[in-house]
Amino acid sequence: MEIPKQYDPKQAEQHHYERWEKQGCFAPEINRDENAPPFCIVIPPPNVTGSLHMGHALQHTMMDVITRYKRMCGYRTLWLPGMDHAGISTQLMVTRELKKEGVSRYDLGREKFIERVWKWKKESGGQITKQMRREGVSVDWSREKFTMDEDLSNAVREVFVRLYEEGKIYRGNRIVNWCPNDQTVLSDLEVEKIPQAGKLYYLRYPAKNGGGSVTVATTRPETMLGDTAVAVNPADERYRELLGQTLLLPLTDREIRVVADEFVDPEFGTGAVKVTPAHDPNDYDMGVRHNLEQVVVIDSHAKMTEAAGAEFVGLDRYKARTKVVEKFEELGLLEKVVDYEFSISKCERCKTVIEPLISTQWFLRMDELRDDALKLLAERKLPQFVPEVPYEKVYSNWLENLRDWTISRQLWWGHQIPAWYTPDGEVFVARTEEEAKAKAGTDDLTQDSDVLDTWFSSQLWPFSTMGWPEKTKDLDTFYPTSVLMTGRDIIFLWVSRMVMMGLKFVGSEPFADVFVTGTILDAQGQRMSKTKMNGIDPLEVFEKYGVDATRLKLASVGSTDIRWSDKQVESYRNFANKIWNAARFCMMNSGSAAVDPKSLTSSPELALHDRWILSRLNKTARDVREALASYGFHEAVQTLYHFFWDDFCDWYIELTKTDVSAEADSPQRSAARTRLLSVLEQALRLLHPFMPYLTEELWLRLPGIGSQLLHPAYQSAEPTIMLAWYPEASAALIDETVEWEMQAVIDLISRVRNIRSEMNIKPGEPISLLVGAPDEKLRTVFSANENQIRRLARASEISVSERLEAPKASARAVLVGGAEVAIPLAGLIDFGQERQRLNKEKEKLAAEATKLEAQLANPQFAERAPAEKVNEVRERIADIAQRSAQLDQTIANLE
RNA sequence: AGGCGCGUAGCUCAGGGGUAGAGCACUACCUUGACACGGUAGGGGUCUGGGGUUCAAAUCCCCACGCGCCUACCA
């Protein structure tokens, strides 16, 4: 038999994926059952510029586990892959490439630039799709989509036009987040607030009449050049007289009013606020309320405009700040400067400080869409978040406070806005240029040069990828999808928007469940990030420990944040090797036996350990299915790990060795071999969604595998474990009595081993066992399993009787049900040591008894606790009393 | 400023009103015919602290401390 002693993950990872893909195992069409229920996941499309990181590996593992599981359960399964065109990232990447050639995108022009991006995409984009194949993800590559594909772009235009026609999309002149570096507007979600140490400047503005003045506090003195008012709280007594008065704005010849506004907090600063409607979102709102002029003093490159005055025009905003402060000081109008920590808005991508600017952009009105999403959650509890706490609240709170969304971007790479202008500025929104021309009645049109926010197309992903707005078969079959699995960072950016769009355009929710994964942190508990360089490359982990071991680790992460540790992957690598060697044993001892699921039915003639492993196997299938039904990945992994290692390897293989490796051929021997192989085969199926490569590698080697093991929906497919029927628990095979009996045997063996170890009896030293069991049933169990006990406890002989009669020079232990075991140790026993060992045991019992007795002594306990609990405590006390008595006896006998 | 989560063995983490768990690490023994990436047996925890509810709290509630995360228009 030529099976290596160590599992080689790389070898197994080499060929199966290609075979699966070629044979169409990933496509839903492999399922020939017309009535098969659908199961569908759409992948959160990674950026075309991206490469695989731990977050992907984590999410992909969980999606793959569920997908493979559902497929094995006979669902018509689709996991749809694809990529996002990632507007800004991609444009920056290509721009950088061009820069190396000494060319700017403007030199190239829009059309050539976009051609260049496509060329880049074709040649070096989408690295991630190759890396994903290594992960073993069972996505249907034949349906792979890209947000800039022709059909997805159609969907984008369709949605845009319909929303425009309904008045939800509008063009407006508003204050927006502007990135002076990327030269584009950004949505609120693409801006991050970073706390920063700064200064608060107190500036004095003289009043026009009389010698008075007002002091305002600001973090941005340079914006004072654009001030058009000072605001105070109407309830603020201090400024009552000032209301309606006129101030002389220093450094300018402008006169500004003092207005009253509730927004102003009298407690902060001086209680008077300078108002710069053109350069601050709050001031903008105040400006609207008080009909204030908007004086633009900073331009799109964050330089001062002409309106800032001759002295300042052309200055960078920070240079202007210094200069403004200097001037105020010269004029004696700078009251003070204090240290002040505040949050500053930065561009999420390039970290440039955002400049709030007034600009004409396209917006999407969110109120109705938002209300529908909230209604869906309130009335039908969709989507169902897992874990529900805290994500359901996070999601609904955000929706409740939602503002209109700035959807235009001043980029070239993306979906160009389907709006055309006549020379005199009239706008026509249409699906195509032809349609626009027809509407406008002229050919002289110019298309809006902006593109849409990348998320505008991603929000359509669950249905645009399935052919919407056409009524396709996929859409009919797979929408709404089953579950969305993602990290918590895009609940707002993506999840909520998909819900709103799904409701709006398909009329139903895009997915039933949203499973939110945890975050993998580095060993110090910090988030992995490119800038910190603390990321762990999943491909390196695959290389070192194998894909399956890594997947098992990732699957067990679930939804909590976790610090990365190679150690855990290593232990799953060991587990993989354990599985390999268990299978190796089964196959080396299989002879002419073959896998046969029919051998997995119980009958009273079967030995205890056989009935036991069937019970354990079925319980495992039940528990794993239950765990996966509620996305309990961690629990599923633990259940499988312990079933395979503890139950199957440590006990069952050991217990069945005599049967399986008997010298002489017999019906019993071949039945035992068939059973062993079949239990293994079932275990491999249970493990397959988590460890696809290892299980396939082994499964294909098992004797007797074939199409007959596949789920009926896949009967015509080539044999592969990924299409085998996922084991289903049979309640009839779960037998608590059998498990209890087996546990008694296991306990006996463990107690004997414990004595051996504590008494320093060499493993080779022959011992004999005397077992006393007043309970007849227990005696039967022990007697029936004499051979097993002898072998596993390494005893040369064993005798079971009603009452224990053993020589004084024996080591003893008390077992369940009043049973006892004694090991005669004439000449070997150290009485002192044995007494010590027994006393230690007695102390343990005594401590437990004290606790229980105190509980029982409490009259309230007997009165109020359920009778069942009270009885349980009584029984335990009785059991402990019996054991203690036996121990006392044993200790006394030692003398 | 609000909201949320976390604090359990040396480490990384499960669990969660009724006997405190796993893996790794540690100790001792074992090259036993599947596997030393292994086997057997052990040691190790006032479940952050303090109150409360309850017959019973690691678990539920409140407070404190520590650590994270998210949201926010306080100049």
Side-chain angles (χ1 to χ4, degrees), chain A residues 466-486:
Chain A
M466 294 183 192
W468 187 93
E470 305 301 320
K471 288 186 169 45
T472 62
K473 195 161 168 260
D474 271 5
L475 203 55
D476 189 48
T477 310
F478 296 113
Y479 191 97
T481 66
S482 312
V483 57
L484 182 82
M485 298 190 144
T486 184

Side-chain angles (χ1 to χ4, degrees), chain A residues 350-414:
Chain A
C350 72
K351 312 295 175 194
T352 303
V353 176
I354 291 299
E355 189 56 50
L357 285 184
I358 292 177
S359 137
T360 301
Q361 302 290 344
W362 290 89
F363 298 91
L364 174 55
R365 214 182 296 283
M366 303 303 293
D367 45 4
E368 273 177 45
L369 295 165
R370 175 266 314 272
D371 289 346
D372 290 344
L374 284 171
K375 204 169 125 197
L376 179 74
L377 182 67
E379 290 176 2
R380 295 179 52 214
K381 217 163 162 44
L382 284 170
Q384 173 68 54
F385 283 88
V386 181
E388 190 174 321
V389 178
Y391 298 112
E392 185 179 303
K393 232 168 116 184
V394 166
Y395 166 83
S396 57
N397 281 351
W398 185 77
L399 280 178
E400 281 157 14
N401 299 312
L402 195 51
R403 307 167 86 181
D404 288 0
W405 172 18
T406 316
I407 52 174
S408 45
R409 293 291 179 276
Q410 287 64 54
L411 303 171
W412 286 352
W413 175 241

Side-chain angles (χ1 to χ4, degrees), chain A residues 473-508:
Chain A
K473 195 161 168 260
D474 271 5
L475 203 55
D476 189 48
T477 310
F478 296 113
Y479 191 97
T481 66
S482 312
V483 57
L484 182 82
M485 298 190 144
T486 184
R488 67 171 81 92
D489 48 335
I490 52 178
I491 291 179
F492 308 145
L493 275 168
W494 193 49
V495 178
S496 63
R497 288 166 176 172
M498 282 190 286
V499 174
M500 293 187 270
M501 288 298 127
L503 283 175
K504 174 78 188 160
F505 291 101
V506 195
S508 54

Side-chain angles (χ1 to χ4, degrees), chain A residues 214 230-236 239 242-243 258-262 264 271-273:
Chain A
V214 183
V230 164
V232 297
N233 192 293
D236 196 333
Y239 296 113
L242 226 73
L243 277 178
V258 176
V259 299
D261 198 291
E262 297 282 353
V264 180
V273 186

Side-chain angles (χ1 to χ4, degrees), chain A residues 813-830:
Chain A
V814 174
L815 310 168
V816 286
E820 277 182 278
V821 62
I823 307 173
L825 292 174
L828 284 171
I829 196 163
D830 175 333

Side-chain angles (χ1 to χ4, degrees), chain A residues 1 121 419 473 628 640 693 707 858:
Chain A
M1 197 56 66
K121 192 238 170 196
K473 195 161 168 260
L628 289 179
L640 287 166
Y693 291 118
S707 313
N858 182 349

